[in-house]
Amino acid sequence: MRIAMIGGGYVGLVSGTCFAEFGTDVAIVETNPDRLAALREGRIPIYEPGLDRLVAENVEAGRLTFGDDMAAAVKGADAVFVAVGTPSRRGDGQADTSYVYAAVEQVARVAEGYTLIVTKSTVPVGTGREIAKIVHATRPDLDFDVASNPEFLREGNAIVDFMKPDRVIIGTDQSKPGGTERAQNILRKLYRPLYLLERPIVFTGLETAELIKYAANSFLAMKITFINEISDLCEKVGADVNDVARSIGLDGRIGKKFLHPSPGFGGSCFPKDTRALTAIGRNAGSPVRLIETTVAVNELRMKAMGERVIALAGGDVKGLTIGVLGLTFKPETDDMREAASIVVLDQLDKAGAQIRAFDPAGMETARPVLPQGVTYCKDALDAATGADILVVLTEWNEFRSLSPEKLKTRMTGRKVADLRNIWDPESLKEAGFDYISLGRPDMVHTA
Ligand code: NAD
Ligand code: UGA
């Protein structure tokens, strides 16, 4: 089998490489010259554990190539996957499908013979049908089908998520005679290794597949937002959110995953996909009010986090040094898209604090999106040096083992805002810190 993968970003690169690992020949088409140059030189432009080795092995085996020649990649491909970005459109929050449509038009222009176009990008309901119209308008002579195969990988765990997915969704145009069979047969062959692993493969219609992706991401975002609100409630009534989350999660109907309180969900997908689902609902005359609320609560939450740090300082951080541990939207990624740190550091900077920050992978991606005045430190202890307050924004494992005693040797002040609950409140209090976290009683020394 041979496929073309249009877009060599997170999804295109990971899924293209994993298909190659399954034994398929994969041509990744990437238009960003820097990204393409990096890939051709064997450098991985994103931080994803294990990806460098997998890419190198498949390039070496001759199954994985990178280029910008659309015609060469599409020629003879059994399927053409589209994995370009679908960012939020400014203003109305709808997904911007212009990159998808542009890519599809390029594919249509150069395609020879039967072509199966598969959307791997997260696309609004109706995009598959619009793609069919564009292809038909561009090349009325072309024999083609459109399928939807949304991707559920998580950054930081992307290879395992792709190779051992909870499910694979394949949506085809059930109204087109013969289209479904042709598309399903090709995709069945491509995903054969997952059949053998007995991973569930769901065959459905185009619109359903497109909606499944938004419903899944929005449900998870709503679950996080739920525990974040319960966390706030715990603080007011003296309950412990860790025990609440664990206990409700033990009910198999609820499940224990995605119940960790946080400064708000971020990343390249949950924020934009929840906004997009609300737009899809509004446009269809069927508002998804739970998700509209999820979006609003999450935005307010990020702002509330900066205010908490300022309150811990006694209402004023002007001239204070604040050490920040973790900048990326979650650990094991260098991705800064819609990270809570952007909102929180902006507030602290505007309030006059001196910020010393460290992130194990995100220092370079953080620089362009964080305030100019931020000092980037060489490690966590360097960020804590001279700090009046220490703030944890991302729960990288290496921060968990920092002992309070060690922090005391570096920090000037004795205040910690742990916005990921990585430390034990009692030990911080015993070490003399004023310690606040999420959904657990504050450990603040009274004068
Ligand atoms: P990305 O921005 O990292 O990558 C997209 C790539 O496509 C870029 O490198 C861009 O240069 C390239 N590109 C754009 N137009 C092109 C064209 N016409 N020809 C060739 N290359 C082109 O985006 P991403 O994070 O990989 O996300 C892609 C899609 O997958 C989005 O719809 C996203 O919602 C979805 N998704 C992302 C994740 C994730 O974890 N990042 C997971 C599941 C689904
Ligand atoms: C998410 C989904 O988990 C993937 O299944 C999906 O494919 C992907 O979006 C996508 O569509 O792009 P990802 O954005 O990589 O993956 O990261 P997650 O691990 O889901 O975390 C998203 C955000 O939620 C992070 O900011 C994280 O800190 C936050 N989160 C997660 C919490 O605040 N609490 C939790 O319990 C879990």
Side-chain angles (χ1 to χ4, degrees):
M1 302 283 287
R2 214 173 86 62
I3 63 168
M5 181 68 69
I6 316 303
Y10 252 104
V11 167
L13 184 56
V14 172
S15 53
T17 305
C18 292
F19 273 128
E21 181 70 10
F22 289 164
T24 299
D25 286 337
V26 180
I28 294 185
V29 182
E30 174 56 62
T31 42
N32 178 319
D34 294 338
R35 220 164 227 198
L36 181 57
L39 291 169
R40 281 179 162 157
E41 288 162 19
R43 285 183 289 118
I44 305 298
I46 52 171
Y47 176 92
E48 185 60 42
L51 188 58
D52 48 356
R53 186 187 55 82
L54 210 60
V55 168
E57 284 172 7
N58 282 285
V59 168
E60 175 74 27
R63 288 190 296 265
L64 182 63
T65 58
F66 306 104
D68 53 8
D69 184 344
M70 185 73 87
V74 168
K75 191 171 179 206
D78 293 286
V80 179
F81 285 79
V82 178
V84 301
T86 48
S88 270
R89 217 162 63 179
R90 261 179 216 285
D92 61 7
Q94 295 200 40
D96 178 354
T97 46
S98 60
Y99 301 100
V100 172
Y101 294 149
V104 163
E105 210 179 303
Q106 290 161 13
V107 171
R109 275 204 206 101
V110 299
E112 294 174 12
Y114 173 73
T115 305
L116 172 61
I117 297 172
V118 188
T119 48
K120 218 171 210 341
S121 303
T122 302
V123 293
V125 180
T127 303
R129 282 197 197 275
E130 191 57 35
I131 287 174
K133 281 188 203 153
I134 291 171
V135 175
H136 186 68
T138 313
R139 282 284 304 281
D141 61 306
L142 191 69
D143 185 16
F144 71 95
D145 286 309
V146 178
S148 164
N149 172 221
E151 183 49 56
F152 296 92
L153 61 81
R154 277 164 302 171
E155 295 181 13
N157 206 47
I159 295 168
V160 174
D161 282 348
F162 189 91
M163 300 270 209
K164 295 182 181 165
D166 290 333
R167 73 309 207 184
V168 173
I169 306 296
I170 292 174
T172 50
D173 183 354
Q174 292 164 333
S175 64
K176 186 173 176 184
T180 286
E181 287 69 33
R182 289 198 297 194
Q184 283 185 358
N185 284 342
I186 293 170
L187 288 163
R188 214 179 250 125
K189 278 190 208 148
L190 283 171
Y191 280 110
R192 199 175 132 72
L194 299 184
Y195 260 126
L196 301 177
L197 287 174
E198 297 186 354
R199 296 286 153 173
I201 303 199
V202 178
F203 293 100
T204 184
L206 268 183
E207 286 77 8
T208 310
E210 289 165 347
L211 188 55
I212 286 168
K213 174 65 194 175
Y214 284 106
N217 271 5
S218 298
F219 187 87
L220 291 170
M222 183 178 68
K223 194 173 177 189
I224 295 165
T225 304
F226 174 80
I227 202 65
N228 280 341
E229 288 209 304
I230 292 295
S231 168
D232 285 351
L233 180 57
C234 285
E235 289 165 21
K236 296 282 187 220
V237 301
D240 184 321
V241 72
N242 284 3
D243 288 349
V244 175
R246 180 162 178 272
S247 305
I248 63 172
L250 285 169
D251 183 332
R253 292 170 301 176
I254 295 173
K256 61 181 194 256
K257 293 180 182 166
F258 278 63
L259 282 178
H260 303 287
S262 65
F265 60 77
S268 65
C269 292
F270 282 0
K272 89 168 166 62
D273 291 348
T274 46
R275 285 193 293 264
L277 183 63
T278 64
I280 293 168
R282 273 197 313 274
N283 293 342
S286 180
V288 193
R289 287 183 293 261
L290 282 173
I291 304 307
E292 286 174 3
T293 305
T294 297
V295 170
V297 170
N298 195 60
E299 284 172 4
L300 286 176
R301 184 167 185 82
M302 289 192 182
K303 292 194 187 114
M305 293 298 127
E307 284 152 20
R308 275 185 194 219
V309 176
I310 295 171
L312 178 64
D316 189 6
V317 290
K318 198 167 180 7
L320 294 187
T321 300
I322 300 186
V324 175
L325 303 186
L327 298 171
T328 49
F329 80 98
K330 67 171 194 176
E332 298 302 334
T333 178
D334 62 353
D335 203 330
M336 281 294 294
R337 287 179 279 185
E338 306 217 27
S341 64
I342 299 173
V343 177
V344 176
L345 267 59
D346 186 53
Q347 273 172 301
L348 298 177
D349 178 69
K350 284 202 174 103
Q354 303 293 319
I355 299 165
R356 297 177 61 76
F358 171 70
D359 188 280
M363 303 287 261
E364 288 316 310
T365 41
R367 266 175 220 276
V369 291
L370 292 182
Q372 294 253 307
V374 173
T375 303
Y376 293 90
C377 300
K378 68 176 188 329
D379 57 27
L381 283 178
D382 189 21
T385 302
D388 297 290
I389 305 175
L390 192 65
V391 181
V392 179
L393 277 174
T394 316
E395 70 279 30
W396 286 89
N397 270 337
E398 65 180 77
F399 302 152
R400 293 179 194 273
S401 57
L402 285 171
S403 76
E405 293 309 323
K406 209 159 214 168
L407 291 176
K408 271 163 74 176
T409 63
R410 298 297 189 98
M411 287 176 66
T412 309
R414 293 288 178 268
K415 291 182 193 295
V416 169
D418 175 1
L419 303 180
R420 293 283 186 171
N421 289 3
I422 63 168
W423 289 319
D424 168 44
E426 288 295 340
S427 356
L428 270 284
K429 188 176 183 194
E430 271 167 32
F433 282 97
D434 283 349
Y435 173 81
I436 62 167
S437 56
L438 300 177
R440 303 185 294 185
D442 288 346
M443 294 289 168
V444 178
H445 296 80
T446 42

